[in-house]
């Protein structure tokens, strides 16, 4: 099944992917980065799934989200009737629940369900007990219960549970799957119909707070719901995606675990949330960032867990074959140990944006910012691994240097406009030094473009952010030249590659990858800032056309196969939908231009 054939449901602590065939093929419990109990997404059905569909099988006729919610409605039309399945994860109470309700729409439809619980990323087969219409499963630390009026039949040889039933017009058949740690008492059962009402009310109440009033409102609202679904409610941390190891190169090894929170996304996400009126979510994300960044400045990481933990060891689940036979399946992310100097600029930019937008920050936060800035003053000249977590040699990446300039610039602005105390004169000198260094060593005069790193002949899509960050104005000839160079050298079928890994092997990995959707949105932003609004709008609408039938985007798009690739759904892509729609409405982020 293609990546775009999946839809997302979740409860703001974890999420599941539901296919067009009615199968839940991915679910981690109890939180985003927990081991999966359904891992068929990365292997075969035997790795765990929950199918609920007409007995004849096949893809659905249509599906949609109920407006402004994450409640999925999937419809199958058959000769003898029609049926709808509602899929949701209600707001979490005592434990996580997956609720599925079968509704007869017309005539009679024969239905079937097949449940294969496999804890530990498909590795651990639980002990099953059946009692009438209820199933209980346990394996080590995990326990689960499935309640339904349908008679469930065990298949001990296949370690699965099946059920067959008929639904008629006007009839409803509920299913509720509940998880709990095995040593705790069983959670109180939830009522499926009541859960549906609670979930719809909660989502609609949340969306009523949306203040976005520009164009492309439907796309923006869908992306905001997606971002909310990818937010870990207890802490406010936003995961990059709900999945691990969906390949950037089908059949290749560019597979990463994205179920963590990246500092890279901080200022982009904050801008998107604040522009839509979600001050509470912006504040929660900012507060998560402050907690995660606390500590010695030299220890600042590029990513953390949803709780803000630092250790994310990487290992491979070798028993899984990978999505479409694209191993390895990685759990954890070794990039936590990389040096990425851009995260200092992104963190300081985010905290400055928070203040400018009215989110109060206490003196301890300013002390933290001073500590980060003091460290960066001595470290900005160092080569690093860059924005894209390259696993090759460290380089003097231009984007990292630009973000060092951003760090100094935002600290100066805080002193000048917010009356905070700091050595503004010293920071001004540093800002000028970094600016001169980048323009002298990161710019190719012969080609009239900035380059990926000092001395490189390659390009990097992050260079499109130079005007947005305020390093140079959009009308500067060097910026215009860079935009044109990116369009000439990094665009495939109208979409933007991050860089060309096959050109200089900067990332130390074999193969290539698809066009990067967030970078394609950045090109639209750069064109809009340059005054080329028609071209920007055309590209933006092309990007919106790549969304699947329920409005979701992965990380990348493979133009040769006309498919979404990479982890899914990708927060960075949906943040970009919100921000680019705002840019086309004339709301560019306010930045200082030297």
């Amino acid at each position: 099944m293609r990546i775009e054939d999946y839809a997302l449901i979740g409860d703001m602590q974890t999420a599941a992917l539901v296919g067009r065939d009615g199968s839940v093929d991915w679910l981690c419990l109890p939180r985003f980065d927990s081991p999966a109990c359904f891992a068929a997404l990365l292997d075969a059905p035997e790795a765990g799934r929950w199918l609920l569909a007409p007995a004849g099988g096949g893809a659905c006729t249509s599906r949609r989200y109920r407006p402004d919610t994450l409640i999925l409605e999937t419809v199958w039309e058959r000769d003898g009737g029609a049926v709808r399945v509602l899929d949701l994860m209600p707001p979490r109470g005592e434990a996580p629940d997956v609720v599925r309700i079968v509704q007869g729409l017309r005539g009679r439809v024969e239905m079937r369900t097949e449940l294969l619980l496999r804890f530990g990323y498909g590795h651990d087969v639980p002990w099953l007990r059946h009692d009438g219409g209820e199933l209980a499963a346990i394996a080590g630390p995990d326990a689960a219960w499935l309640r339904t009026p349908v008679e469930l039949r065990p298949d001990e040889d296949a370690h699965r549970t099946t059920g067959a039933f008929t639904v008629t017009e006007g009839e409803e058949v509920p299913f509720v799957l509940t998880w709990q740690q095995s040593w705790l008492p069983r959670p109180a059962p939830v009522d499926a119909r009541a859960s549906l009402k609670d979930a719809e009310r909660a989502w609609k109440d949340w969306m009523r707070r949306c203040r976005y009033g520009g164009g492309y409102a439907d796309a923006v609202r869908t992306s905001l719901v997606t971002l909310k679904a990818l937010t870990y409610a207890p802490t406010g941390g936003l995961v990059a995606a709900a999945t691990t190891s969906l390949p950037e190169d089908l059949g290749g090894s560019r597979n990463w675990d994205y179920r963590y929170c990246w500092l890279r996304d901080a200022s982009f996400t904050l801008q998107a949330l604040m522009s839509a009126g979600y001050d509470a979510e912006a504040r929660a994300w900012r507060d998560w960032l402050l907690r995660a960044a606390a500590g010695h400045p030299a220890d600042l990481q590029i990513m953390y867990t949803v709780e803000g933990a630092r250790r994310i060891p990487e290992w491979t689940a070798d028993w899984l074959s990978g999505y479409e036979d694209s191993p390895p399946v990685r759990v954890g992310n070794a990039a936590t140990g990389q040096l990425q100097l851009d995260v200092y600029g992104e963190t300081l930019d985010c905290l400055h944006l928070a203040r400018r937008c009215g989110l109060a920050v206490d003196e301890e936060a300013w002390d933290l910012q001073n500590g980060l800035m003091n460290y960066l003053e001595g470290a900005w000249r160092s080569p690093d691994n860059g924005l894209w977590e390259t696993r090759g040699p460290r380089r003097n990446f231009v984007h990292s240097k630009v973000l060092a300039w951003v760090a100094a610039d935002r600290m100066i602005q805080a002193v000048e406009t917010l009356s905070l105390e700091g050595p503004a004169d010293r920071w001004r000198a540093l800002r000028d030094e970094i600016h001169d260094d980048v323009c002298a060593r990161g710019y190719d005069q012969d080609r009239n473009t900035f380059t990926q790193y000092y001395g490189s002949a390659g390009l990097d899509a992050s260079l499109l952010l130079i005007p947005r960050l305020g390093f140079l104005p959009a009308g500067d000839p060097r910026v215009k030249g860079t935009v044109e160079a990116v369009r000439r050298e990094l665009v495939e079928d109208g979409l933007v590659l991050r860089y060309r890994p096959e050109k200089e092997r900067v990332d130390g990995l074999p193969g290539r990858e698809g066009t990067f959707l967030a970078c394609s949105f950045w090109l639209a932003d750069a064109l809009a800032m340059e005054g080329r609004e028609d071209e920007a709008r055309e590209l933006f609408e092309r990007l919106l056309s790549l969304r699947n039938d329920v409005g979701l985007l992965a990380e990348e798009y493979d133009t040769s196969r006309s498919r979404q690739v990479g982890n899914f759904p990708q927060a960075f892509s949906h943040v970009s939908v919100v921000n680019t729609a705002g840019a086309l409405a004339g709301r560019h982020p306010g930045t200082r231009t030297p």
Side-chain angles (χ1 to χ4, degrees):
M1 188 173 297
R2 292 186 169 214
I3 290 170
E4 52 263 52
D5 287 330
Y6 287 100
L8 181 79
I9 60 172
D11 65 355
M12 280 75 76
Q13 296 192 45
T14 191
L17 294 186
V18 187
R20 292 179 61 87
D21 61 351
S23 180
V24 180
D25 286 349
W26 182 254
L27 174 61
C28 301
L29 291 171
R31 69 184 206 186
F32 293 106
D33 58 350
S34 298
C37 64
F38 299 135
L41 176 71
L42 301 177
D43 198 274
E46 289 70 28
R49 72 162 183 175
W50 181 10
L51 178 71
L52 182 58
C60 64
T61 306
S62 65
R63 61 180 180 169
R64 66 159 196 162
Y65 287 117
R66 287 193 174 181
D68 289 342
T69 78
L70 206 67
I71 298 168
L72 181 66
E73 296 184 343
T74 306
V75 174
W76 285 267
E77 296 279 353
R78 294 294 184 261
D79 289 342
V83 65
R84 176 169 56 214
V85 175
L86 304 179
D87 287 312
L88 65 136
M89 294 188 71
R92 189 172 300 190
E94 190 177 353
D97 300 284
V98 179
V99 175
R100 313 190 76 180
I101 302 173
V102 182
Q103 297 177 328
L105 301 179
R106 173 175 58 80
R108 296 168 58 89
V109 179
E110 300 296 323
M111 299 289 293
R112 70 184 179 110
T113 188
E114 178 186 71
L115 178 69
L116 293 93
L117 275 168
R118 299 290 188 268
F119 298 112
Y121 298 103
H123 188 272
D124 303 333
V125 179
W127 176 52
L128 303 178
R129 290 179 296 134
H130 292 79
D131 183 11
E134 183 175 84
L135 165 73
I138 187 169
D142 299 290
W145 297 264
L146 175 63
R147 290 189 303 108
T148 179
V150 172
E151 182 180 355
L152 300 173
R153 297 187 297 273
D155 183 341
E156 295 181 0
D157 292 336
H159 302 286
R160 66 178 180 175
T161 299
T162 62
F165 61 101
T166 301
V167 63
T168 60
E169 183 175 344
E171 185 179 5
E172 284 194 349
V173 182
F175 294 78
V176 180
L177 178 68
T178 303
W179 179 92
Q180 181 62 290
Q181 293 166 317
S182 60
W183 61 87
L184 295 178
R186 175 180 172 172
V190 302
D191 178 81
R193 172 53 61 177
S195 294
L196 174 63
K197 292 180 179 178
D198 290 344
E200 186 161 23
R201 183 185 310 112
W203 279 110
K204 288 188 176 295
D205 286 348
W206 186 77
M207 283 305 300
R208 270 193 284 271
R209 292 164 45 203
C210 181
R211 294 200 304 260
Y212 180 81
Y216 307 101
D218 288 345
V220 168
R221 294 172 79 90
T222 296
S223 288
L224 288 169
V225 167
T226 305
L227 293 174
K228 180 66 171 175
L230 295 174
T231 300
Y232 186 65
T235 65
L238 178 77
V239 297
T243 57
T244 178
S245 300
L246 289 180
E248 300 168 5
D249 179 19
L250 292 171
S253 61
R254 293 173 177 268
N255 313 327
W256 317 109
D257 193 346
Y258 274 18
R259 298 170 298 156
Y260 307 107
C261 306
W262 264 256
L263 300 193
R264 171 194 66 192
D265 305 351
S267 59
F268 293 99
T269 301
L270 192 72
Q271 180 195 337
L273 293 172
M274 294 294 293
S275 69
Y278 288 105
D279 297 358
E281 284 72 18
R283 186 177 298 107
W285 172 237
R286 189 275 317 274
D287 291 347
W288 174 90
L289 176 66
L290 282 171
R291 293 191 300 271
H296 194 284
D299 296 331
L300 189 67
Q301 295 185 176
I302 65 170
M303 75 183 83
Y304 299 83
T305 71
V306 292
E307 292 178 333
R310 294 170 175 264
R311 292 181 177 85
I312 312 176
E314 181 177 302
W315 55 279
T316 59
D318 295 327
W319 57 89
L320 295 174
S321 62
Y323 177 82
E324 294 194 6
D325 294 319
S326 302
V329 172
R330 289 186 171 92
V331 178
N333 201 311
T336 53
Q338 291 186 347
L339 174 65
Q340 291 187 24
L341 293 174
D342 60 291
V343 299
Y344 291 86
E346 286 148 359
T347 300
L348 296 176
D349 188 30
C350 179
L351 296 177
H352 178 70
L353 178 63
R355 280 196 186 89
R356 197 182 64 191
C357 293
L359 298 183
V361 182
D362 58 27
E363 291 183 4
E364 291 182 1
W366 182 240
D367 290 341
L368 170 65
Q369 289 179 253
N370 273 273
L372 296 176
M373 190 65 230
N374 289 340
Y375 171 78
L376 190 60
E377 285 184 72
W380 73 268
R381 297 176 184 83
S382 303
D384 71 340
N385 297 102
L387 170 71
W388 304 124
E389 295 145 32
T390 59
R391 300 197 177 194
R394 290 180 177 176
R395 316 269 191 173
N396 285 298
F397 286 100
V398 169
H399 178 76
S400 297
K401 308 303 184 189
V402 169
L403 263 294
W405 178 93
V406 167
D409 180 74
R410 303 316 188 250
M411 295 294 282
I412 295 165
Q413 288 193 47
V415 172
E416 292 179 342
T417 64
L418 301 174
S419 300
L420 294 170
E421 293 186 4
D425 289 340
R426 191 176 81 214
W427 291 337
R428 288 189 194 95
L430 175 66
R431 183 179 64 185
D432 292 343
E433 181 184 1
I434 297 172
H435 199 276
D436 291 344
D437 191 68
V438 171
C439 291
R441 302 176 62 196
Y443 175 71
D444 185 335
Q445 293 189 21
D446 294 336
R447 295 163 59 212
N448 188 27
T449 181
F450 286 95
T451 60
Q452 185 176 37
Y453 56 87
Y454 289 178
S456 168
L459 294 176
D460 190 312
S462 63
L463 301 171
L464 294 168
L465 296 174
I466 285 175
R468 177 174 179 155
L469 294 169
F471 184 82
L472 286 171
D476 187 285
R478 292 166 292 184
V479 172
K480 289 184 175 183
T482 300
V483 172
E484 290 310 304
V486 167
R487 297 182 78 183
R488 183 174 60 250
E489 299 183 28
L490 293 185
V491 168
E492 287 189 353
D493 194 21
L495 305 177
V496 182
L497 297 163
R498 291 191 296 182
Y499 51 91
R500 288 197 177 273
E502 72 276 13
K503 187 169 184 178
E504 296 190 43
R505 294 295 176 197
V506 68
D507 60 16
L509 295 168
R512 51 168 298 154
E513 61 183 22
T515 57
F516 201 81
L517 294 176
C519 296
S520 302
F521 284 106
W522 295 347
L523 176 56
D525 294 341
L527 291 170
M529 293 185 73
E530 198 177 318
R532 300 159 69 176
E533 184 172 322
D534 290 343
E535 295 173 77
R537 194 174 300 278
E538 180 181 1
L539 175 55
F540 183 61
E541 292 176 357
R542 165 82 189 287
L543 289 163
L544 293 184
S545 75
L546 302 180
R547 298 176 302 158
N548 72 357
D549 57 319
V550 290
L552 300 181
L553 287 169
E555 179 185 26
E556 299 181 4
Y557 192 79
D558 186 332
T559 56
S560 65
R561 294 181 173 94
S562 299
R563 296 184 56 176
Q564 295 192 29
V565 291
N567 283 303
F568 175 87
Q570 178 82 357
F572 214 17
S573 299
H574 286 279
V575 164
S576 298
V577 170
V578 178
N579 287 338
T580 302
L584 289 171
R587 292 195 296 274
H588 300 295
T591 53
R592 176 193 180 278
T593 299

